[in-house]
DNA sequence: GGGAGAGACGTTTTT
DNA sequence: CGTCTCTCCC
């Protein structure tokens, strides 16, 4: 197959794929086929004889990266297997791990796991105003980098911020680690200060999907990587939903403003949704005032008007029962469960839905985040494994030393770390000396005790034959809490073999933080609105459409401007949600969208979900329908009672 | 450095 | 309502 198969030369997708301009912006609404157009463009580049290794397709999420890779391979264009569609993050890790880059930056791109941040906080909290303050500082530190605040004229860092940053960086440098939020900024800084770096000219063609979801640092990296490359950015500021990650949707407007000769293309026909849904979506998003690149989303008449319902229930449990009944009935009358997508912005709603569907025997999968590393025992075993593979994994060692203590033994550890830094000795070596009595540091007895335990556990692993035995020992078959870890570790070992232990660990850590994405969809899927981005489904439910969830409860600390921006982002989130519906009329699938909400829910659920109820009586919270429901315009059906 | 009790606060999402 | 954090006291 060739890139232009089935493509009308007059179609916008053809233009995107064929444009010879070295700078292209594509603004494309939901369901308009932007990923499709981008894939065709990659296919065209390959057929033009561009070396696949010089083509960099960047996506924001792994799901999108894998999707892109799969589609390219499926297109059967020569060279497509060699294209590495990656997320910007994995690209940054790879580049920062190169020896010459490590030497230039002086920092290790060893990311801190969520649970490994605890000892970091414990070590910093006394000097910086407590746990909550330190968490705030860390957040602000990462935010400043994501927004490249340091480069903005007039940016002044307070003395406290500077002190904190110094302590934080000194901790991270000593522990040879990096905050996840530092990864992209470090690459940015490296590329910026090294204009002659080979990395700046590594690719000849860069394609970026979901550009509106990138933050300033990420957009900066793209720019630095593309000094000599042809660039095609694709995005839609109306679908920008990653404000918490400091996404910079205005960048999509600035991008074209700074490039006079660039091609500016857009895809506006919503090929996915039924016409009623497209019109509702248009109405909804029209309520947003701040739209850098406003453009219409036009309905596609062949799709038909669809099947849209808006239903209000008396209670949350009635809502759950109502949705589950509808789903069970659909499945009973022949709708494949995999055609059904249920979006709920809170676990408090998603979990009861999930459980009720399981009870009804409907095949269902929940996508709310759960980690194999949620339980402390699993964290401990994993840390031991890291240390077993590498005694110089200082973060794992630090974590193990403090584990179980409310203070993380931060006082002792401070003295100990001072010794290591003053004498330029590694923590493991210093602990060995302390343990052997060759070295004495006052007030570190407990530290040494714990170290002995860790040391003997590692020695025991060392005496075992091979990694398989180590895995079997650390994650035993009969230990329920580590069953998933065991399965993952064995799977990774099976793929890699016994030889390369470093690679084993990084692959395992990938497997843990990046769960497998199912290719075959056979279950009803329940997930948050964020996760649904990029998906489409013939039957889509959006549940819990109440004030406080959609839009979420405004934070007390927000200014009016921030509050307004937050509501607009929440509106975009709802916009993304309702445009997941896919009409396939010739397969008897009109495209079904069901929006549900309830009048009340238990107070505990409301508070636990961050809703401030309109009124409360006897443990029941009274709720208000989402204002977005009223913003859907004349194409929306009248809400009915369920 | 550890434990008990009082008080604050709460989500969601990515790498 | 349940969990985390802080304070006070040993």
């Amino acid at each position: 197959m060739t890139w232009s198969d089935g493509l009308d030369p007059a179609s916008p997708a053809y233009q995107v794929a064929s444009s010879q301009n070295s700078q292209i912006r594509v603004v494309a609404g939901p369901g308009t086929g932007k990923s499709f157009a981008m894939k065709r463009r990659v296919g065209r580049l390959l057929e033009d004889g561009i070396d696949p290794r010089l083509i960099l397709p960047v996506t924001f999420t792994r799901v999108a990266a894998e999707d892109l890779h799969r589609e390219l391979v499926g297109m059967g264009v020569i060279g497509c297997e060699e294209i590495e569609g990656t997320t910007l993050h994995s690209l940054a890790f790879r580049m920062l791990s190169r020896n010459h880059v490590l030497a230039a930056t002086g920092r290790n791109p060893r990311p801190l796991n969520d649970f490994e941040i605890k000892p970091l906080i414990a070590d910093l909290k006394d000097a910086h105003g407590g746990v909550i303050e330190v968490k705030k500082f860390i957040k602000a530190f990462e935010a400043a980098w994501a927004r490249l605040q340091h480069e903005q004229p007039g940016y002044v860092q307070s003395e406290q911020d500077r002190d904190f940053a110094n302590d934080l960086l000194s901790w991270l440098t000593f522990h040879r680690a990096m905050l996840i939020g530092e990864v992209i900024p470090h690459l940015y800084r490296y590329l910026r200060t090294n204009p002659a770096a080979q990395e700046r000219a590594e690719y000849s063609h860069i394609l970026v999907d979901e550009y509106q979801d990138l933050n300033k640092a990420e957009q900066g990296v793209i720019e630095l990587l593309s000094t000599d490359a042809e660039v095609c950015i694709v995005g839609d500021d109306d679908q920008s939903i990653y404000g918490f990650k400091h996404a910079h949707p205005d960048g999509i407007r600035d991008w074209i403003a700074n490039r006079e000769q660039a091609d500016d293309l857009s895809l506006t026909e919503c090929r996915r949704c039924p016409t009623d849904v497209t019109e509702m979506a248009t109405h909804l998003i029209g309520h947003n005032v701040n739209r850098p690149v406003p453009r219409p989303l036009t309905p596609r008449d062949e799709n038909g008007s669809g099947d849209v319902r808006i239903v209000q229930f008396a209670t949350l449990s009635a809502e759950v029962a109502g949705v589950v009944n509808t789903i069970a009935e659909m499945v009973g009358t022949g709708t494949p469960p995999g055609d059904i997508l249920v979006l709920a912005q809170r676990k408090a709603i998603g979990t009861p839905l999930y459980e009720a569907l399981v009870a009804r025997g409907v095949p269902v999968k929940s996508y709310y985040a759960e980690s194999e590393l949620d339980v402390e025992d699993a964290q401990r075993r994993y840390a031991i494994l890291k240390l077993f593979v590498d005694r110089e994994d200082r973060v794992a060692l630090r974590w193990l030393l403090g584990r179980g203590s409310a203070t993380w033994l931060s006082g002792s550890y401070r003295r100990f770390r001072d010794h290591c830094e003053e004498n330029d000795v590694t923590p493991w070596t210093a602990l060995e000396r302390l343990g052997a009595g060759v070295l004495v540091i006052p007030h570190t007895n407990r530290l040494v005790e714990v170290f002995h335990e860790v040391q003997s556990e590692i020695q025991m692993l060392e005496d075992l034959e091979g990694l398989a035995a180590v895995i079997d020992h650390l994650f035993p078959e009969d230990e329920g809490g580590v069953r998933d870890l065991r399965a993952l570790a064995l799977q990774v070992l099976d793929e890699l073999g016994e030889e390369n232990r470093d690679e084993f660990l990084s692959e395992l850590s990938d497997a843990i933080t990046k769960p497998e994405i199912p290719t075959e969809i056979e279950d009803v899927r329940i997930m948050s609105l964020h996760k649904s981005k990029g998906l489409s489904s013939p039957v889509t439910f959006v549940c819990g459409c109440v004030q406080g969830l959609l839009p979420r409860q405004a934070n007390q600390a927000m200014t009016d401007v921030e509050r307004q921006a937050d509501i607009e982002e929440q509106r975009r989130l709802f916009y993304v949600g309702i445009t997941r519906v896919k009409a396939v009329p010739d397969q008897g699938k009109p495209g079904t969208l069901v929006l549900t909400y309830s009048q009340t829910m238990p107070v505990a659920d409301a508070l636990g979900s961050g809703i401030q109820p309109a009124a409360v009586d006897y443990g029941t919270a009274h709720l208000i329908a989402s204002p977005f429901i009223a913003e859907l315009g004349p194409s929306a059906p009248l809400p009915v009672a369920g």
Side-chain angles (χ1 to χ4, degrees):
Chain A
M1 158 169 185
T2 65
W3 69 271
S4 58
D5 274 2
L7 264 192
D8 177 356
S11 70
Y14 187 97
Q15 286 175 29
V16 172
S18 63
S19 171
Q20 298 288 336
N21 200 308
S22 65
Q23 296 174 332
I24 306 164
R25 177 181 86 165
V26 183
V27 180
T32 55
K34 68 183 162 66
S35 300
F36 171 80
M38 190 166 149
K39 286 162 204 157
R40 292 301 179 110
R41 182 169 177 82
V42 174
R44 202 269 294 164
L45 293 173
L46 289 172
E47 281 178 37
D48 282 358
I50 308 289
D51 184 340
R53 287 166 303 181
L54 300 180
I55 302 177
L56 176 70
V58 184
T59 56
F60 170 59
T61 63
R62 286 172 310 105
V63 180
E66 283 171 39
D67 185 51
L68 178 67
H69 186 75
R70 198 168 47 234
E71 297 259 354
L72 283 173
V73 171
M75 224 160 60
V77 177
I78 295 162
C80 56
E81 286 90 354
E82 284 175 68
I83 290 200
E84 288 192 75
T86 65
T87 63
L88 204 49
H89 267 262
S90 50
L91 179 76
F93 268 117
R94 273 210 309 273
M95 287 186 167
L96 287 175
S97 301
R98 293 174 182 169
N99 285 333
H100 65 273
V101 184
L102 280 173
T105 61
R107 292 284 304 279
N108 257 21
R110 189 287 196 195
L112 284 181
N113 277 111
D114 270 352
F115 69 88
E116 290 169 335
I117 291 195
K118 283 199 177 147
L120 161 66
I121 293 172
D123 285 343
L124 295 180
K125 79 177 177 89
D126 286 348
H128 299 280
V131 174
I132 292 168
E133 281 303 300
V134 168
K135 282 182 184 166
K136 278 189 201 158
F137 271 127
I138 293 176
K139 241 182 152 171
F141 176 84
E142 290 187 301
W145 269 115
R147 299 181 179 130
L148 296 182
Q149 276 171 7
H150 318 74
E151 287 178 12
Q152 271 152 44
Y155 172 72
V156 191
Q157 200 178 20
S158 76
E159 200 180 323
Q160 287 169 324
D161 284 342
R162 205 165 40 237
D163 286 349
F164 177 80
N166 285 339
D167 281 0
L168 174 67
L169 289 174
S170 132
W171 195 97
L172 290 167
T173 309
F174 175 75
H175 290 91
R176 311 247 166 97
M178 207 177 256
L179 297 175
I180 294 175
E182 284 185 291
V183 174
I184 300 279
H186 263 273
L187 180 60
Y188 175 82
R189 197 159 66 170
Y190 168 75
L191 294 172
R192 194 158 185 261
T193 48
N194 295 279
Q198 66 181 75
E199 283 77 15
R200 296 257 309 238
E202 212 158 302
Y203 298 99
S204 66
H205 291 78
I206 297 180
L207 300 98
V208 189
D209 198 6
E210 307 281 18
Y211 190 83
Q212 78 285 344
D213 286 337
L214 304 185
N215 60 39
K216 273 198 170 178
E218 291 164 333
Q219 292 174 2
V221 165
I222 297 288
E223 188 161 346
L224 291 168
L225 287 175
S226 59
T227 323
D228 299 319
E230 300 193 1
V231 190
C232 173
I233 68 160
V234 185
D236 177 16
D237 49 293
D238 283 337
Q239 292 182 77
S240 169
I241 55 176
Y242 285 102
F244 64 87
K245 201 204 74 149
H246 318 291
H248 180 60
D250 286 355
I252 201 165
R253 173 189 58 201
D254 302 342
W255 195 89
I256 204 84
N258 297 334
R259 293 166 175 78
E260 280 170 12
Q261 75 292 8
D263 245 1
D264 189 12
L265 305 171
S266 64
L267 305 173
T268 58
E269 188 190 39
C270 180
R271 306 171 61 86
R272 178 194 297 148
C273 302
T275 56
D276 275 0
V277 173
T278 305
E279 283 160 10
M280 285 159 59
T282 302
H283 249 272
L284 173 75
I285 205 66
H287 286 82
N288 272 6
V289 178
N290 178 22
R291 297 175 76 196
V293 196
R295 98 212 60 79
L297 187 64
T298 56
R300 185 177 190 233
D301 290 336
E302 303 95 286
N303 285 2
S305 61
D307 171 16
V308 183
R309 308 171 213 171
I310 304 178
V311 192
Q312 184 184 42
F313 295 87
T315 64
L316 175 60
S317 54
E319 182 179 355
V320 169
V323 170
V324 169
N325 283 338
T326 312
I327 291 176
E329 200 184 304
M330 286 175 169
V331 172
T333 55
T335 305
D339 273 5
I340 301 174
L341 182 65
V342 181
L343 305 180
Q345 201 55 358
R346 288 292 182 281
K347 273 188 208 163
I349 298 172
T351 304
L353 280 166
Y354 171 77
E355 282 163 2
L357 284 167
V358 171
R360 290 288 282 269
V362 178
V364 58
K365 184 164 166 43
S366 166
Y367 287 75
Y368 292 95
E370 264 170 31
S371 169
E372 288 82 359
L373 294 174
D374 280 346
V375 185
E376 210 225 28
D377 183 53
Q379 297 170 356
R380 200 198 103 246
R381 291 160 190 265
Y382 186 47
I384 292 276
L385 178 65
K386 286 187 186 181
L387 207 52
F388 168 72
V389 172
D390 176 14
R391 296 308 125 84
E392 289 307 314
D393 190 319
R394 300 179 177 195
V395 175
L397 179 59
R398 169 71 192 96
W399 188 88
L400 284 164
L401 289 174
R403 182 187 68 91
S405 155
T407 59
W408 289 86
L409 305 186
S410 59
S412 307
Y413 191 78
R414 178 72 255 179
R415 292 160 177 271
F416 168 72
R417 187 182 137 195
D418 284 345
H419 169 85
C420 294
E421 286 177 327
E422 280 158 22
N423 299 283
D424 198 20
V425 53
T426 78
W428 182 272
T429 313
L431 281 164
E432 279 182 331
R433 285 191 205 156
L434 274 172
V438 185
L439 171 71
V440 177
I441 305 173
H443 304 289
T444 54
N445 291 343
R446 181 90 190 103
L447 219 54
V448 178
E449 263 171 55
V450 180
F451 175 68
H452 277 307
E453 290 163 23
V454 171
Q455 202 179 22
S456 63
E457 186 157 6
I458 288 192
Q459 188 51 53
M460 182 162 40
L461 297 178
E462 207 61 73
D463 295 339
L464 297 171
E465 283 294 319
L467 270 180
V470 169
I471 292 168
D472 196 54
H473 179 89
L474 278 177
F475 313 122
E477 203 160 11
D478 49 8
E479 190 79 40
V482 295
R483 186 173 302 136
D484 296 340
L485 267 178
R486 176 188 173 85
L488 281 179
L490 288 176
Q491 189 190 328
V492 170
L493 180 66
D494 193 46
E495 282 161 19
L496 283 180
E498 286 273 347
E499 301 78 33
N500 196 339
R501 290 188 171 183
D502 289 341
E503 206 173 316
F504 167 77
L505 208 54
S506 73
E507 288 294 316
L508 177 60
S509 119
D510 276 5
I512 290 169
T513 47
K514 306 168 181 176
E516 201 75 13
I517 298 136
T519 41
E520 299 283 297
I521 297 146
E522 287 163 349
D523 305 318
V524 174
R525 291 169 290 174
I526 304 185
M527 61 181 73
S528 67
L529 289 134
H530 283 90
K531 280 221 175 69
S532 76
K533 191 160 189 186
L535 301 179
S536 65
S537 184
V539 180
T540 303
F541 289 81
V542 184
C543 304
C545 302
V546 293
Q547 174 82 54
L549 288 190
L550 278 167
R552 66 175 175 186
Q553 196 72 47
N555 184 328
Q556 300 285 321
M558 281 183 192
T559 64
D560 284 354
V561 174
E562 287 168 338
R563 192 165 304 204
Q564 181 58 30
D566 199 55
I567 287 178
E568 295 209 350
E569 176 163 312
Q570 294 285 300
R571 194 178 275 118
R572 293 194 289 268
L573 193 57
F574 194 50
Y575 177 76
V576 166
I578 64 176
T579 52
R580 296 310 96 199
V581 195
K582 182 182 183 176
V584 198
D586 41 333
Q587 285 176 26
K589 299 172 182 176
T592 303
L593 174 66
V594 186
L595 308 177
T596 69
Y597 50 104
S598 62
Q599 287 177 293
T600 66
M601 68 169 68
V603 173
D605 281 338
L607 292 176
S609 302
I611 302 175
Q612 216 161 73
V616 177
D617 67 288
Y618 298 105
T620 301
H622 290 259
L623 308 168
I624 296 172
S626 164
F628 298 155
I629 297 283
E631 295 176 351
L632 296 169
S635 307
L638 276 179
V640 297

